Amino acid sequence: MAESSGTKAPALVKVYGDPRSSASYSIRDFLHRSDVDFEFVPLTTDEEARAKAGVLHFRDSRLPVCEFPDGTRMECPTIRQITEKLGWFVNPSRSEYDLAIYGAGPAGLSAAVYGASDGLKTVVVERGAVGGQAGSSSCIENYLGFSKGISGADLAERAREQACKFGAEILLARKGVRGQFTAGKGAGYLEDGTKIIARASICATGVEYRRLGLPNEGRFLGAGVFYGAGVSEASLLKGEHVYIVGGGNSAGQAAMHFVSTAKRISIVIREDSLTQTLSKYLIDRIQAAPNVEVLPRTEVSALHGDHALDEITLVDRTSRQERRVQAHWLFVCIGGVPQTDWAQDVGIVRDETGYLVTGPDLIIGEKLPASWPLERAPYYLETSVPGVFAAGDVRHGSVKRCASAVGEGAMAVAFVHRYLQRP
Ligand SMILES: Cc1cc2nc3c(=O)[nH]c(=O)nc-3n(C[C@H](O)[C@H](O)[C@H](O)COP(=O)(O)OP(=O)(O)OC[C@H]3O[C@@H](n4cnc5c(N)ncnc54)[C@H](O)[C@@H]3O)c2cc1C
């Protein structure tokens, strides 16, 4: 991907690794979301590991091994090293921007397209790959203009290209960790020490997948336990029994994505049925699929395994009866929580669950927050710090849909213009 032109070089990357290792998963997930052409070669025996990847055994710490089209071989690379190798890791080209956007999900990418096309010097900071949660959707069927649906990765790649075409800079694999805002200028500090100065900022950092909250959950991340719809995993599920936790649309989409490869799919829900939580079109498809079952009034209460997930405990919420079942694949689709601790440090008002409060929602009993420094009221998507806006899922009261995130990204840019004209 030549960052200045936004054109993407074809790259066939080969990834060799244990299919049930967390490191293999994070590379697969990153490449899939980034729309990179790659082949994953699963290694399940020591012989395969020696013959195909030139390492001693299939749990060798040098795995996963990545091979790039120019012959470069990387052992157990980090996402940042892969980004660098693909030529996507760039430094900011300017000392100051008009607009800094944090997060390259639908809201951030939309803000980038509108900001850059309106002539604002625009930079986007993204901690991982472009696309956000939408990038983990196998098929978004309710996005305007795509009657046959579009994969999240495809939608994100189109948006990235469009934003780059208008001159937006996208800094991938960089995480914003801290902010400092004074009248007319803001500074964002990235995890690697880079400082981004901009006249206005948009926070479009969305939400982080909610965890089950089980004691050993982190150990199984990517090693049997996955968050979101696991689009990069479908090809590995041939003949497998898959468990999906959650009754919302992301869980329904995951089930439909796996339906033709997995042998059996069990959807674990706390409610009595899917009718309150799932769109009708997905309910109809789930009911019509012979290999999908719904386990109502059920929770996952424990995870078991050594290197990877082997079994889970299911508990009946009514009788409290427990049963332990074999499970190698568990997809958790139970919504998300915003990651906005940085906002608290700079005095941005959040609601009790951490979402950023904006515009009219900041006015309580006809009063603005005591910290609001201006005569005028905050613009519609403006936070309690002038010049800092929020768009998409991270915003208090947002709709949690692709189209609304895209709409808010565009709308936030309109308010950025107003702010820049009259801070
Ligand atoms: C599996 C799945 C399927 C879905 N299907 C549909 C659907 O069919 N239709 C629909 O309308 N909606 C769907 N949704 C919901 C939709 O994807 C979200 O509402 C939408 O992605 C929200 O966009 P966003 O830009 O606000 O946030 P996100 O998509 O969450 O993007 C936020 C981005 O910010 C980045 N970020 C976070 N913190 C930082 C930081 N500190 N520094 C830099 N970057 C950071 C993240 O890495 C991420 O890329 C689905 C969601 C999921 C999970």
Side-chain angles (χ1 to χ4, degrees):
M1 174 168 62
E3 141 261 354
S4 51
S5 67
T7 51
K8 194 159 178 175
L12 179 62
V13 181
K14 272 194 164 182
V15 184
Y16 301 87
D18 175 358
R20 302 186 67 214
S21 94
S22 158
S24 293
Y25 167 67
S26 61
I27 292 176
R28 281 198 304 271
D29 186 53
F30 175 78
L31 294 175
H32 182 88
R33 282 165 177 268
S34 305
D35 208 22
V36 170
D37 192 8
F38 76 98
E39 182 190 350
F40 179 68
V41 183
L43 306 174
T44 50
T45 63
D46 294 345
E47 291 70 38
E48 276 179 347
R50 279 193 288 273
K52 294 181 179 168
V55 295
L56 291 178
H57 51 85
F58 80 104
R59 296 232 166 92
D60 195 304
S61 60
R62 288 171 292 173
L63 290 172
V65 165
C66 293
E67 273 174 14
F68 292 83
D70 65 359
T72 306
R73 174 189 152 96
M74 290 174 109
E75 293 178 348
C76 200
T78 60
I79 296 301
R80 173 157 170 174
Q81 286 169 328
I82 294 177
T83 315
E84 284 170 358
K85 176 64 202 156
L86 291 170
W88 298 352
F89 194 83
V90 288
N91 286 315
S93 70
R94 298 175 188 276
S95 55
E96 193 172 323
Y97 293 85
D98 296 321
L99 174 60
I101 300 162
Y102 294 87
L109 288 169
S110 155
V113 167
Y114 286 93
S117 64
D118 286 352
L120 297 177
K121 296 179 189 82
T122 301
V123 64
V124 184
V125 176
E126 166 55 53
R127 69 178 171 184
V130 295
Q133 296 166 71
S136 73
S137 173
S138 52
C139 187
I140 300 172
E141 297 201 44
N142 54 4
Y143 191 68
L144 191 73
F146 293 92
S147 57
K148 296 198 173 80
I150 180 166
S151 84
D154 190 3
L155 186 67
E157 173 50 22
R158 290 173 189 227
R160 184 201 63 78
E161 208 176 307
Q162 202 174 7
C164 291
K165 183 186 88 177
F166 288 121
E169 277 177 35
I170 302 184
L171 310 182
L172 293 176
R174 312 262 196 148
K175 184 176 177 184
V177 287
R178 195 164 62 83
Q180 209 175 26
F181 304 98
T182 49
K185 206 165 272 189
Y189 295 86
L190 313 190
E191 205 168 33
D192 62 3
T194 309
K195 183 177 173 184
I196 305 283
I197 297 178
R199 294 164 67 206
S201 314
I202 296 176
C203 176
T205 51
V207 293
E208 184 92 347
Y209 297 124
R210 186 173 281 126
R211 309 267 156 137
L212 290 169
L214 298 174
N216 51 357
E217 200 172 338
R219 191 156 66 79
F220 295 116
L221 171 59
V225 176
F226 306 85
Y227 300 92
V231 273
S232 58
E233 303 309 285
S235 62
L236 300 173
L237 300 180
K238 204 165 184 322
E240 299 280 341
H241 184 174
V242 173
Y243 285 85
I244 298 171
V245 185
N249 280 0
S250 59
Q253 276 184 18
M256 285 302 99
H257 185 51
F258 302 149
V259 82
S260 56
T261 37
K263 182 178 72 184
R264 189 169 160 206
I265 298 164
S266 302
I267 304 179
V268 180
I269 58 168
R270 304 169 82 174
E271 299 74 22
D272 291 339
S273 77
L274 293 169
T275 48
Q276 300 299 314
T277 51
L278 194 61
S279 293
K280 170 89 170 59
Y281 79 96
L282 284 167
I283 294 181
D284 292 345
R285 288 183 205 172
I286 283 169
Q287 283 172 347
N291 57 340
V292 182
E293 63 171 354
V294 178
L295 305 178
R297 296 176 299 281
T298 306
E299 280 174 0
V300 176
S301 62
L303 310 170
H304 315 274
D306 293 327
H307 295 288
L309 186 71
D310 286 326
E311 294 181 333
I312 58 176
T313 300
L314 295 172
V315 57
D316 183 303
R317 277 166 60 83
T318 316
S319 66
R320 302 312 298 171
Q321 204 167 359
E322 291 189 340
R323 63 191 168 107
R324 198 161 151 158
V325 296
Q326 194 182 59
H328 292 145
W329 301 92
L330 179 71
F331 292 86
V332 181
C333 305
I334 52 173
V337 277
Q339 306 286 303
T340 54
D341 290 348
W342 63 272
Q344 193 173 25
D345 299 340
V346 288
I348 289 180
V349 173
R350 305 184 303 164
D351 68 13
E352 60 289 348
T353 42
Y355 290 95
L356 305 186
V357 182
T358 55
D361 292 331
L362 286 163
I363 302 170
I364 296 172
E366 297 187 6
K367 279 198 179 144
L368 281 164
S371 61
W372 178 255
L374 305 178
E375 285 286 306
R376 67 165 176 85
Y379 295 124
Y380 188 62
L381 298 177
E382 196 170 27
T383 68
S384 61
V385 170
V388 180
F389 297 80
D393 280 14
V394 74
R395 199 179 66 79
H396 165 85
S398 61
V399 177
K400 315 284 183 288
R401 285 270 190 274
C402 250
S404 21
V406 167
E408 289 194 9
M411 210 200 298
V413 171
F415 292 113
V416 164
H417 282 297
R418 270 198 221 173
Y419 169 79
L420 293 177
Q421 280 157 15
R422 186 189 158 208

